[in-house]
Amino acid sequence: MIIQTIDTTPFSGQKPGTSGLRKKVTEFAQPHYLANFVACIFAAVKPAEGFAGKTLVLGGDGRYFNPEALQIILKMAAAQGFARVLLAQNGILSTPAASHLIRLNQAFGGLVLSASHNEGGPNGDFGIKFNCANGGPAPEKITDAIYALTTSITSYQIMDAPDVDPSQLGRQFVGEMVVEVIDSVVDYVALMEQLFDFEALRGLFASGFTMKFDAMSAVTGPYAHAIFENALGAPLGTVLNGKPLPDFGGHHPDPNIVHAKALYDLMMSEHAPDFGAASDGDGDRNLIIGKGMFVAPSDSLALLAANATCAPAYAKGLAGVARSMPTSMAVDRVAEKLGVPCFETPTGWKFFGNLLDAGQITFCGEESAGASSDHIREKDGLWAVLLWLSILAVRRQSVRDIVLAHWAIYGQNYYTRHDYEAVDTQAANQVMQHIESQFSALVGQQFGSLTVSAADNFSYHDSIDGSVSHNQGLRIAFECGSRIVYRLSGTGTSGATIRIYIERFESTQNQARHNLETQAALADLIALARQFSNIQALTGRAEPSAIT
Ligand code: G1P
Ligand code: ZN
């Protein structure tokens, strides 16, 4: 078998975003497009001694174009001289399971083929991200290097070899490179058994506790069947949409109340089970809903931190916590009470990696339905569900009672995110410039009962590696602890997406003002957010395209 050198030209716009490169399938499927990007990843991360003797982990969320992409990557990895690829059977590998496999096998890194919660199918999105030896997403200095290479690439190398059969467990070869096809569910379930008391969770289900988990026809189906129905004894049918499909059954595999509407409606009905949960395309996000009670992701993070000792792995407590900057400050109050540090990082999981590696934090999370711990270096949907189940098994209260009790102790952070999707890129940039241009004038100004106390463009100073990340979102803070945050999404695939995050704190003294309808509770701040940004005039949008 021979290594071929293929001439190519750079493709514009191959800039990795918040988590890897995401584009339409139609773009990725162009000749050389995927190969170009993969070649640039390999070139950016290649150690001086090359890839000889090194292992690469490979898999994805099963979306359309995964099978073709796997074969291209295997042949390129062989041409690069990798010793071994651990390939998930049929390519089915959740993001958290990939992170674990990399760490478990001391792999050089891994490639995950996913566009997360974006829609799949031939007209949907595709994506690819590289995770490093610590199991976490590549940090900015690597993604910047990858991008620089995509602007100048002229050729790539690929092994001329027959395809591998990804359904066949065991060893195959591409040239001299070993391809070991493994069942990625087994190792992941073993990790969960180390963290959680499966005996206690079996007891919870044996007591008649009921749950529905919506795998959204995405990657978590096989993992969820193995954990909830096989290991924990929940009845068959507990897992909904458990078979991964290339187009996710025509839905967005996005675990929120819009795309997991059937689950949401069930949980709000009189037939609701005790607990409802869902995960996204690649299994790193979570949705938690109790009987008649949706739990906002920021609240969920705070609750998990406050109740961490319900799981054996965290019985000794937490070293610290971290949240992305736009995530609500609910977890800050928990950290304060626990007497542990709380870090504020830019959006995107890659920024948690250094803090986790340094042992400074145990839990971290984002408002976008991601939470996880130091067990891996990615967010982990099923982990969040298992920790919730652990809390329910210990406290034997309803989700609703647990949330209300939490607010009574810590106060409530009302929180919403308004997204303006597929906005003209220039208009989106104008919105951001317009907001920033008012910063000095805004500070000290009073708007009704709200006085602006600070306004800035968030820069993050990584205390571990000393790096600085600028331009991570515009923040306007008010004296009462309320906040408005604006940022441009780094994961969209058409135009720009403006995200506006709005938060208001209601103290424990004001319990009568807890548990109100969220949008109504935030109405004055929402109006101010629109006024400051002049968003309607600049983008032509009167209303956001999505409210979460
Ligand atoms: C979004 C979320 C962010 C998350 C990322 C990857 O990124 O907001 O919290 O880490 O997806 O799942 P954004 O589109 O806002 O850049
Ligand atoms: Zn995801």
Side-chain angles (χ1 to χ4, degrees), residues 116-117 280 282 284-285 379:
S116 190
H117 51 289
D280 71 329
D282 62 331
D284 56 0
R285 296 185 175 205
K379 54 195 177 219

Side-chain angles (χ1 to χ4, degrees), residues 18-19 22 116-117 280 284-285 324 347-349 366-368 379 417 487-492 497 499 501:
T18 316
S19 55
R22 274 187 210 168
S116 190
H117 51 289
D280 71 329
D284 56 0
R285 296 185 175 205
S324 66
T347 295
W349 210 261
E366 297 190 274
E367 51 70 40
S368 53
K379 54 195 177 219
R417 188 178 93 192
R487 47 178 292 283
L488 297 181
S489 156
T491 59
T497 293
R499 301 200 196 283
Y501 310 81

Side-chain angles (χ1 to χ4, degrees), residues 118-386:
N118 295 15
E119 66 188 320
N123 299 313
D125 292 344
F126 186 78
I128 175 167
K129 61 180 169 185
F130 177 76
N131 282 30
C132 301
N134 74 343
E140 260 188 348
K141 67 173 192 296
I142 294 183
T143 52
D144 287 349
I146 295 170
Y147 176 58
L149 288 161
T150 67
T151 62
S152 59
I153 182 171
T154 55
S155 69
Y156 62 88
Q157 296 195 306
I158 187 161
M159 182 80 73
D160 180 22
D163 282 0
V164 161
D165 178 356
S167 67
Q168 213 55 46
L169 287 175
R171 297 186 134 212
Q172 300 172 51
F173 286 87
V174 177
E176 302 201 333
M177 185 183 80
V178 176
V179 177
E180 223 168 291
V181 179
I182 54 166
D183 178 348
S184 74
V185 174
V186 178
D187 289 321
Y188 180 80
V189 176
L191 174 65
M192 293 300 117
E193 278 184 290
Q194 284 168 27
L195 303 177
F196 301 105
D197 181 350
F198 271 34
E199 198 53 53
L201 299 182
R202 273 192 284 274
L204 178 69
F205 283 108
S207 74
F209 177 87
T210 52
M211 147 175 171
K212 291 286 181 201
F213 176 83
D214 189 348
M216 306 194 83
S217 307
V219 82
T220 49
Y223 299 86
H225 282 303
I227 293 173
F228 303 125
E229 295 172 350
N230 298 348
L232 300 181
L236 289 179
T238 296
V239 177
L240 308 171
N241 303 312
K243 188 175 178 325
L245 300 173
D247 67 347
F248 309 114
H251 301 289
H252 284 234
D254 192 353
N256 58 32
I257 57 184
V258 177
H259 295 291
K261 185 162 188 315
L263 178 73
Y264 179 77
D265 289 346
L266 173 70
M267 295 310 298
M268 297 301 138
S269 79
E270 55 187 69
H271 310 293
D274 297 308
F275 188 66
S279 190
D280 71 329
D282 62 331
D284 56 0
R285 296 185 175 205
N286 72 82
L287 168 70
I288 303 294
I289 319 179
K291 233 182 220 170
M293 187 79 173
F294 163 73
V295 187
S298 295
D299 279 340
S300 180
L301 175 65
L303 260 147
L304 294 179
N307 294 279
T309 53
C310 291
Y314 314 108
K316 293 205 180 88
L318 308 177
V321 295
R323 61 163 172 81
S324 66
M325 182 274 280
T327 301
S328 101
M329 293 156 90
V331 73
D332 301 37
R333 299 180 191 280
V334 175
E336 199 183 334
K337 196 156 208 136
L338 294 174
V340 300
C342 177
F343 296 85
E344 187 175 46
T345 58
T347 295
W349 210 261
K350 58 190 169 195
F351 293 101
F352 294 133
N354 281 345
L355 294 168
L356 289 163
D357 285 348
Q360 301 215 3
I361 58 171
T362 313
F363 280 12
C364 44
E366 297 190 274
E367 51 70 40
S368 53
S372 194
S373 85
D374 57 1
H375 66 294
I376 52 171
R377 294 295 178 272
E378 282 281 4
K379 54 195 177 219
D380 190 342
L382 287 167
W383 171 87
V385 175
L386 285 165

Side-chain angles (χ1 to χ4, degrees), residues 18-41:
T18 316
S19 55
L21 183 69
R22 274 187 210 168
K23 297 280 174 193
K24 294 276 167 217
V25 165
T26 44
E27 246 178 283
F28 258 111
Q30 298 170 77
H32 312 307
Y33 189 96
L34 172 79
N36 264 8
F37 191 69
V38 172
C40 296
I41 294 176

Side-chain angles (χ1 to χ4, degrees), residues 378-451:
E378 282 281 4
K379 54 195 177 219
D380 190 342
L382 287 167
W383 171 87
V385 175
L386 285 165
L387 185 49
W388 260 101
L389 291 176
S390 305
I391 295 166
L392 293 164
V394 169
R395 293 185 51 169
R396 300 279 165 160
Q397 287 170 290
S398 69
V399 170
R400 179 183 202 87
D401 287 348
I402 290 175
V403 173
L404 295 179
H406 186 91
W407 290 337
I409 297 171
Y410 298 95
Q412 183 181 357
N413 290 69
Y414 282 102
Y415 186 81
T416 191
R417 188 178 93 192
H418 288 202
D419 292 334
Y420 295 76
E421 291 160 353
V423 170
D424 173 69
T425 306
Q426 225 184 324
N429 290 331
Q430 275 170 9
V431 167
M432 298 301 277
Q433 282 156 15
H434 178 70
I435 298 161
E436 210 173 344
S437 70
Q438 302 162 75
F439 275 178
S440 47
L442 278 177
V443 179
Q445 260 200 65
Q446 204 178 332
F447 301 89
S449 60
L450 295 159
T451 306

